[in-house]
Amino acid sequence: MAFLASLQKKAYLSYSSPVGRTFQAATSYQTTFVPALMLACLAAVPEAEAVRADIAAWLLRQRSKAWSFNYWAANAPERNTLPYPDDLDDTFCALLGLRLHDAALVPEAALGCAVRLLLATETKVGGPYRTWLVEADAPAVWQDVDLAVNSNIACFLEQVGSPLPNLTAYMQSALVNGTLRSPYYPSEYPLLYYLARAYRGTARQTLVTRLLQLQHNGYWDTPLQTALALTALHRLGELAPHQDAVMYLRGQQLPDGSWPAEGFCFDPAQKGKQYVNGSAALTTAFVLEALVCSRPAKPEYIDRVPMEGGGELEQRIRGQAATQSSQLPTVLRVELEALLSGLMRGSDGQEVMLLPSLFARSLRKPPNIRQATLVELGLANVYGWLAYTVFDNFLDDEGTPRQLPAALTALRQSVASFWRARPKDQAFQAVVGSMFNTIDAANAWELRHCRFVVGDGNITIGRLPDYRPAARLFERSLGHALTPIAVLAAAGYSPSSPQTGHVVRAFQHYLAARQLNDDLHDWEQDMSRGQVSYVVAGILRELQVAPGDYALVTLVPRMRTRFWNHTLLNICDVVVRHTKQARRELRLSGACRDDSPLHELLNRLDATAARTRTEQSGAEAFLAAYRGELGVDDHGRSNGRPGV
């Protein structure tokens, strides 16, 4: 790293050497290609932050308005003496390096431009793509389709979305047929390296086999080839230590900290003789990447619980649930254990199990509550959540009949656990019964008012449900507030106290925000089933859709446009209003700390809303760049040159 830092801007220089001899720098060039490759390599090196930032800033200055890149740097004299068109290899290697260093450096507008460049060069829809950004009637020499170039395109696309099936098929064909060649590279090592980081098909073992075949005496002939092979094997999941290769690389380091220049790609011929491009800086970057990939994996100790003791408590809850289910008849036990396992492994499992402890640690005055009580409350929450999840599936016409007996058993277990947690607290037990009644009534209201008939691709729109009472959003999941009420009771606050009232209202706002967040992501699925969620009702109301029969294939696209441009942001505002109200109620309760773990649940919802806003804004920027700036119409058809 000290060697690379000492080069500063010289790190962007590469050198040309005649083919057929040890690398000898005959000519120096300044290209965008070498810094782009270095930036991607060093993204894996934590110690390279300062060097990466310098390279990234320089690289950003090399792009065109269309976010394309040329092989030559912007101020290189070869732009005039040896001109090349912009090309997809330099473009996507640069975009990949920038993205790996800092995703914010490749905004959605850049992605929109990148898609347009791909559309302008595709040989068929979805690729593969031609290398050079030239007019369709350009000479054949500029119309080639190259394996290395398309591998680099696929690698970048995987970073921002999913690789295209045609590119995967193109790479797989080359692997299966053994045609690992490119006119731009003097050896197959760069291709193996590119393919290893891009290809996700069924022939990955072919890559591993080929790399191991090229190995001699534990390494791969030269430092550059050894580095490329080691990193490729790591990317392919071949995690053997290859200690001989690592020791070879260490032994080849020069006194100044570098590894020697080698030919990586072809350069322009000089006087009819072929030249290769390379630099010590580039070799060093590849070696550093390989050494970092070869570091022994450190064991990860991730405490997902924002509190002490969470792991032990979670294990006790799991163990108690297993003990209780083991006492059931086999046919019932199997179903209940499957449901418990699914819930506890899911994204909500830990919050459901540990909410009582989480809330107890949120109080200003720690309650006098035994761990056995926290276990019972955790079980009560788990069983209640599980039961109503199964019931909810039936309400949505998606229930699995064989799960119903297990869900009924879970509901009884939930009531029993609440009783065991506070057996002498009649006021709390009355709240438990009242709360379950509220949940069942909320489900009944939804079935009556929030279902439209769907059939044969049509939906019959009726009267839209009125979600203005906020209770409509939280009542179905209000059982989540029972364990905090129990913890407050243990701390000396009765269910009828003002403190408990504020905490319950805080949870109501939290649950409403959670429900809205879920509805945001599921509205199209809800609509297709005739389930009129808050979001579905909001879109239909904004579109002023009158009662009647509608074809889903026509109505849903209209709704999607309205949702994306208007409803989405409105719902995000409502989510944030609820989280603010939840914090206010917690503060008014006087019982909860302002920095409590409970606030983390609200922070996550705020973060999701903020991220959703950013994604919406980014998508607009993407579409603006894709459609307008460079002349593509709303149907994705090019109106002219691809902006190169």
Side-chain angles (χ1 to χ4, degrees), residues 307 313 317 320-321 324 336 339-340 343-344 348-359 372-390 407 409-421 428 432 435-436 439 476-487 507 510-511 514 598 601:
M307 65 186 94
L313 182 60
I317 294 170
Q320 184 73 359
Q324 291 174 352
L336 183 59
L339 290 171
L340 285 168
L343 170 61
M344 291 175 175
D348 293 322
Q350 197 175 49
E351 179 186 331
V352 173
M353 282 187 282
L354 300 180
L355 180 64
S357 180
L358 181 75
F359 183 74
T373 301
L374 292 175
V375 170
E376 287 292 355
L377 290 174
L379 282 169
N381 215 29
V382 166
Y383 284 129
W385 191 280
L386 185 154
Y388 279 102
T389 298
V390 174
T409 301
L411 187 59
R412 288 189 288 107
Q413 295 278 36
S414 178
V415 174
S417 287
F418 277 125
W419 186 86
R420 286 192 294 267
F428 173 70
V432 172
M435 200 80 82
F436 280 136
I439 296 169
R476 291 172 60 232
S477 51
L478 198 53
H480 213 42
L482 280 171
T483 56
I485 295 173
V487 172
F507 269 86
Y510 164 65
L511 293 169
R514 267 189 66 132
L598 194 60
L601 300 177

Side-chain angles (χ1 to χ4, degrees), residues 423-496:
K424 299 179 181 180
D425 191 340
Q426 294 183 359
F428 173 70
Q429 298 303 332
V431 170
V432 172
S434 174
M435 200 80 82
F436 280 136
N437 287 338
T438 298
I439 296 169
D440 293 335
N443 283 327
W445 178 87
E446 180 176 319
L447 283 174
R448 173 168 294 198
H449 298 285
C450 304
R451 294 292 186 272
F452 291 158
V453 176
V454 173
D456 296 326
N458 295 318
I459 185 169
T460 301
I461 303 293
R463 181 178 179 181
L464 297 178
D466 184 1
Y467 280 99
R468 281 177 296 180
R472 303 296 189 206
L473 290 170
F474 62 72
E475 283 183 338
R476 291 172 60 232
S477 51
L478 198 53
H480 213 42
L482 280 171
T483 56
I485 295 173
V487 172
L488 284 169
Y493 302 105
S494 72
S496 60

Side-chain angles (χ1 to χ4, degrees), residues 298-569:
K298 295 181 180 180
E300 295 184 2
Y301 301 96
I302 301 176
D303 183 9
R304 296 177 295 135
V305 189
M307 65 186 94
E308 297 177 3
E312 178 185 351
L313 182 60
E314 183 176 338
Q315 289 305 313
R316 288 195 60 181
I317 294 170
R318 290 175 182 272
Q320 184 73 359
T323 298
Q324 291 174 352
S325 64
S326 68
Q327 299 170 5
L328 298 171
T330 301
V331 65
L332 190 58
R333 173 179 57 80
V334 170
E335 273 316 317
L336 183 59
E337 287 180 346
L339 290 171
L340 285 168
S341 177
L343 170 61
M344 291 175 175
R345 289 198 314 267
S347 58
D348 293 322
Q350 197 175 49
E351 179 186 331
V352 173
M353 282 187 282
L354 300 180
L355 180 64
S357 180
L358 181 75
F359 183 74
R361 293 179 180 274
S362 298
L363 296 180
R364 294 184 184 277
K365 181 182 177 181
N368 183 20
I369 187 167
R370 298 181 302 119
Q371 189 178 58
T373 301
L374 292 175
V375 170
E376 287 292 355
L377 290 174
L379 282 169
N381 215 29
V382 166
Y383 284 129
W385 191 280
L386 185 154
Y388 279 102
T389 298
V390 174
F391 297 159
D392 192 53
N393 289 338
F394 275 94
L395 296 178
D396 294 341
D397 294 325
E398 294 182 331
T400 302
R402 72 170 187 271
Q403 293 179 344
L404 190 56
L408 293 169
T409 301
L411 187 59
R412 288 189 288 107
Q413 295 278 36
S414 178
V415 174
S417 287
F418 277 125
W419 186 86
R420 286 192 294 267
R422 298 195 60 76
K424 299 179 181 180
D425 191 340
Q426 294 183 359
F428 173 70
Q429 298 303 332
V431 170
V432 172
S434 174
M435 200 80 82
F436 280 136
N437 287 338
T438 298
I439 296 169
D440 293 335
N443 283 327
W445 178 87
E446 180 176 319
L447 283 174
R448 173 168 294 198
H449 298 285
C450 304
R451 294 292 186 272
F452 291 158
V453 176
V454 173
D456 296 326
N458 295 318
I459 185 169
T460 301
I461 303 293
R463 181 178 179 181
L464 297 178
D466 184 1
Y467 280 99
R468 281 177 296 180
R472 303 296 189 206
L473 290 170
F474 62 72
E475 283 183 338
R476 291 172 60 232
S477 51
L478 198 53
H480 213 42
L482 280 171
T483 56
I485 295 173
V487 172
L488 284 169
Y493 302 105
S494 72
S496 60
S497 69
Q499 292 87 351
T500 300
H502 285 298
V503 168
V504 170
R505 284 190 289 277
F507 269 86
Q508 290 171 348
H509 286 293
Y510 164 65
L511 293 169
R514 267 189 66 132
Q515 186 62 55
L516 287 171
N517 184 62
D518 292 343
D519 290 349
L520 274 178
H521 295 90
D522 299 338
W523 76 264
E524 285 199 48
Q525 185 179 11
D526 291 339
M527 181 67 182
S528 68
R529 296 185 303 215
Q531 298 168 16
V532 193
S533 68
Y534 183 99
V535 174
V536 169
I539 302 171
L540 292 172
R541 191 170 281 113
E542 290 175 8
L543 288 173
Q544 299 181 342
V545 176
D549 294 332
Y550 295 86
L552 286 169
V553 70
T554 302
L555 181 57
V556 170
R558 288 178 57 204
M559 296 176 67
R560 190 181 297 127
T561 300
R562 182 69 191 186
F563 169 79
W564 190 251
N565 291 312
H566 300 280
T567 316
L568 174 63
L569 298 179

Side-chain angles (χ1 to χ4, degrees), residues 29-310:
Y29 289 134
Q30 192 169 41
T31 71
T32 61
F33 188 53
V34 167
L37 292 171
M38 291 175 59
L39 187 57
C41 291
L42 297 176
V45 183
E47 300 85 350
E49 175 67 32
V51 171
R52 291 205 312 266
D54 193 45
I55 296 175
W58 181 87
L59 201 56
L60 281 170
R61 295 194 293 270
Q62 309 305 308
R63 69 177 182 87
S64 73
K65 291 183 179 179
W67 278 90
S68 62
F69 288 77
N70 197 279
Y71 181 69
W72 303 118
N75 61 351
E78 289 77 17
R79 283 263 186 162
N80 296 316
T81 60
L82 292 170
Y84 289 151
D86 288 6
D87 66 276
L88 293 190
D89 204 22
D90 290 295
T91 294
F92 282 92
C93 282
L95 292 175
L96 177 64
L98 291 167
R99 173 90 181 184
L100 291 175
H101 168 63
D102 181 357
L105 297 180
V106 187
E108 282 73 7
L111 300 181
C113 290
V115 170
R116 297 200 58 254
L117 296 175
L118 291 175
L119 288 174
T121 55
E122 62 186 5
T123 57
K124 58 182 177 180
V125 175
Y129 301 93
R130 297 187 298 275
T131 301
W132 301 97
L133 295 168
V134 294
E135 299 287 2
D137 58 354
V141 69
W142 302 115
Q143 302 285 355
D144 72 291
V145 176
D146 181 73
L147 177 62
V149 175
N150 280 276
S151 298
N152 289 329
I153 294 170
C155 185
F156 175 77
L157 292 179
E158 187 179 40
Q159 291 294 318
V160 299
S162 301
L164 298 175
N166 283 2
L167 290 185
T168 300
Y170 177 65
M171 292 184 285
Q172 180 154 315
S173 175
L175 281 167
V176 172
N177 297 328
T179 54
L180 302 181
R181 292 184 294 274
S182 168
Y184 304 113
Y185 295 90
S187 80
E188 66 183 295
Y189 281 94
L191 275 73
L192 295 170
Y193 172 88
Y194 293 151
L195 285 164
R197 68 182 186 177
Y199 174 67
R200 296 294 178 267
T202 59
R204 285 166 64 84
Q205 188 57 40
T206 303
L207 270 172
V208 174
T209 300
R210 180 54 183 159
L211 285 161
L212 295 178
Q213 286 174 345
L214 293 170
Q215 188 183 62
H216 302 290
N217 301 319
Y219 60 94
W220 287 266
D221 294 338
T222 72
L224 177 61
Q225 292 177 352
T226 298
L228 294 172
L230 271 179
T231 301
L233 287 170
H234 177 82
R235 300 282 185 245
L236 293 165
E238 215 282 327
L239 303 180
H242 295 288
Q243 199 59 35
D244 289 343
V246 172
M247 294 305 296
Y248 167 74
L249 287 178
R250 289 176 177 170
Q252 294 296 308
Q253 188 175 25
L254 299 177
D256 65 357
S258 72
W259 280 263
E262 297 181 40
F264 180 76
C265 62
F266 283 124
D267 253 348
Q270 299 182 31
K271 297 181 179 179
K273 187 170 184 61
Q274 185 68 69
Y275 277 66
V276 289
N277 183 291
S279 71
L282 180 60
T283 303
T284 300
F286 277 122
V287 171
L288 288 174
E289 180 185 30
L291 292 177
V292 167
C293 288
S294 300
R295 281 175 173 168
K298 295 181 180 180
E300 295 184 2
Y301 301 96
I302 301 176
D303 183 9
R304 296 177 295 135
V305 189
M307 65 186 94
E308 297 177 3

